[in-house]
Amino acid sequence: MEQKTKIHAENGKQELLITREFDLPVDLLFKAYAEPGIVEQWMGTKVLKLENRRHGSWQFETTDPKGNKHGFNGTIHEFEPGRKITRTFEMENGSFGVQLEFLEFESLTDDTSKLSIHIIFRSVALRDQLLQLPFTFGINMAHNRLEEVLNKLK
Amino acid sequence: MNLRRDVFQAIADPTRRTILLLVASQAMTAGAIAAKFDTARPTVSKHLQILTECELLRQEQNGREIYYHLNPLKMKEIADFVEPFRMLWEERFNKLESIMKQYKPDK
């Protein structure tokens, strides 16, 4: 099966490119990033604040399966509906520092669209650490999440 | 006994990443590799030892010289370490897609 989500992480660079094509018109894709209620659903997080404007800020809070709360926040630098979002991203109490994210939304056809997320880290080491995080812990997280979804189906 | 060295520890160092890049284009001797760096020869040797221990490099005797080769199979392991990260996003984006396919705008 073709992989829809692609990760481009060149060796020795402090950046990361995530791309994905969606069977959605670009407006709907953008909406999934702009509307707090929808962000909460697909990111599996609580949206405490999401000010979609230049100089606005955002704040999410995720509760892990053990009940620990994890905060994320950042500032929005550019917000152009249906086109792009430029923002910072920081994991609270984390050791990854601040990341700069460029999100670009592109219409491919009337019903398909593409999202490109360009993330810049302070250092190569921080990028590699973040990439390895799911390698170490993510499998458990994905399994828990899967379990959760399966339990709901019962 | 083997020291426990993993590929991620090996590639966390910029000098070692540069060595991998150098050797990727052609097999090289320790001397030729060391000549590319300002650091002391023993330092480079140490890096080569680590890369060899975690099997990112292979040594091959050619006459009197030992050449360092890249081990493509082990390099693939590094490429694959991104896979769980990719899967995490794939899962999230699939969810986004299915939610938005059901989405009915407020009238």
Side-chain angles (χ1 to χ4, degrees):
Chain A
M1 205 181 86
E2 209 218 334
Q3 298 177 338
K4 286 178 150 185
T5 306
K6 296 192 170 73
I7 308 285
H8 185 75
E10 222 173 292
N11 220 339
K13 284 200 169 179
Q14 64 207 77
E15 61 181 12
L16 184 67
L17 188 67
I18 306 172
T19 55
R20 158 86 186 216
E21 290 183 10
F22 291 89
D23 291 326
L24 295 169
V26 71
D27 289 346
L28 279 183
L29 173 60
F30 192 83
K31 208 180 262 285
Y33 268 88
E35 293 213 353
I38 302 173
V39 173
E40 289 194 335
Q41 289 180 56
W42 72 268
M43 286 277 295
T45 187
K46 209 166 138 188
V47 176
L48 302 179
K49 182 158 83 169
L50 183 57
E51 298 169 333
N52 292 321
R53 57 179 167 79
R54 190 172 154 79
H55 301 163
S57 67
W58 63 270
Q59 203 180 356
F60 298 167
E61 187 183 80
T62 303
T63 307
D64 69 22
K66 287 182 183 160
N68 303 314
K69 290 189 188 322
H70 303 277
F72 305 88
N73 72 78
T75 305
I76 293 161
H77 288 244
E78 285 179 299
F79 187 85
E80 294 180 26
R83 286 195 57 231
K84 68 172 163 181
I85 299 172
T86 306
R87 67 184 184 191
T88 57
F89 174 101
E90 184 178 15
M91 219 181 280
E92 288 161 22
N93 309 317
S95 54
F96 295 103
V98 183
Q99 301 156 29
L100 179 57
E101 300 187 337
F102 298 90
L103 288 79
E104 288 185 343
F105 303 78
E106 200 183 321
S107 174
L108 297 175
T109 66
D110 284 353
D111 303 312
T112 60
S113 51
K114 184 179 169 183
L115 172 64
S116 311
I117 309 178
H118 184 184
I119 306 176
I120 302 180
F121 297 80
R122 191 172 180 185
S123 70
V124 179
L126 286 175
R127 183 203 69 169
D128 291 350
Q129 250 178 57
L130 187 94
L131 280 171
Q132 284 168 40
L133 199 62
F135 191 84
T136 334
F137 304 108
I139 305 203
N140 291 331
M141 272 163 60
H143 277 190
N144 289 335
R145 181 118 198 111
L146 193 67
E147 243 167 33
E148 216 178 277
V149 172
L150 290 175
N151 284 335
K152 277 182 194 158
L153 290 176
K154 277 179 192 165
Chain B
M1 201 182 109
N2 283 335
L3 285 171
R4 268 189 60 85
R5 301 255 191 224
D6 68 60
V7 285
F8 307 122
Q9 202 185 330
I11 59 164
D13 181 272
T15 307
R16 290 200 284 273
R17 278 199 298 266
T18 309
I19 292 175
L20 290 174
L21 284 175
L22 283 170
V23 179
S25 53
Q26 59 172 2
M28 290 168 86
T29 61
I33 295 167
K36 303 275 185 187
F37 296 92
D38 292 332
T39 38
R41 173 84 187 254
T43 311
V44 174
S45 297
K46 184 74 196 161
H47 286 310
L48 287 174
Q49 190 196 331
I50 291 169
L51 289 169
T52 309
E53 274 172 10
C54 71
E55 298 174 334
L56 283 166
L57 291 183
R58 267 196 327 241
Q59 293 174 323
E60 255 170 56
Q61 187 91 32
N62 190 340
R64 289 176 55 208
E65 304 270 31
I66 291 173
Y67 280 83
Y68 286 89
H69 292 257
L70 198 67
N71 179 2
L73 280 180
K74 207 67 182 180
M75 289 302 283
K76 192 174 172 295
E77 206 172 291
I78 303 180
D80 288 346
F81 93 84
V82 175
E83 183 58 17
F85 180 84
R86 197 193 66 77
M87 289 291 288
L88 207 71
W89 280 96
E90 183 92 312
E91 199 188 323
R92 265 182 205 165
F93 286 148
N94 286 343
K95 203 156 182 213
L96 184 164
E97 198 169 61
S98 62
I99 287 168
M100 295 319 281
K101 277 182 175 168
Q102 312 284 320
Y103 182 80
K104 301 271 185 300
D106 298 331
K107 295 263 164 73

